[in-house]
Amino acid sequence: AVQYLPYYSERERKRHSARPGLSGLAQVNGRNTATWEERFDFDIKYVNEITFFGDVKIIFQTVLKTIQRSDIGERGVDAPVDFDKYRMR
């Protein structure tokens, strides 16, 4: 989200060099139970290794995760705090 831009490091800003989509590598690898650092690592890995077949794999994994309803964390219980609050610690 735009309000989080001031909180990103230079490395983390790289994730914005790819257009956002409906899903991503971070979403199929932990969804909202992943830590912020894990999410950034997955996003940056995706940006560095974009391929058509990688995107197809993410689409299939997204459908599977949605059907299985896996890796869904509840805000304030087992999901990370909002990013701005995380960085202000």
Side-chain angles (χ1 to χ4, degrees), residues 7-9 12 37 40 83-89:
Y7 300 100
Y8 292 133
S9 70
E12 294 163 351
E37 301 309 321
F40 289 132
F83 183 63
D84 54 341
K85 292 174 182 65
Y86 169 76
R87 276 293 155 90
M88 294 178 79
R89 291 181 178 178

Side-chain angles (χ1 to χ4, degrees), residues 45-85:
K45 179 179 179 174
Y46 175 78
V47 168
N48 288 333
E49 302 173 8
I50 295 174
T51 66
F52 174 76
F53 292 110
D55 286 349
V56 170
K57 183 177 177 183
I58 289 171
I59 291 168
F60 284 117
Q61 288 176 323
T62 300
V63 170
L64 185 62
K65 290 275 185 180
T66 303
I67 292 169
Q68 293 175 338
R69 299 186 49 81
S70 64
D71 297 332
I72 300 172
E74 184 180 341
R75 180 175 274 171
V77 177
D78 54 1
V81 297
D82 291 338
F83 183 63
D84 54 341
K85 292 174 182 65

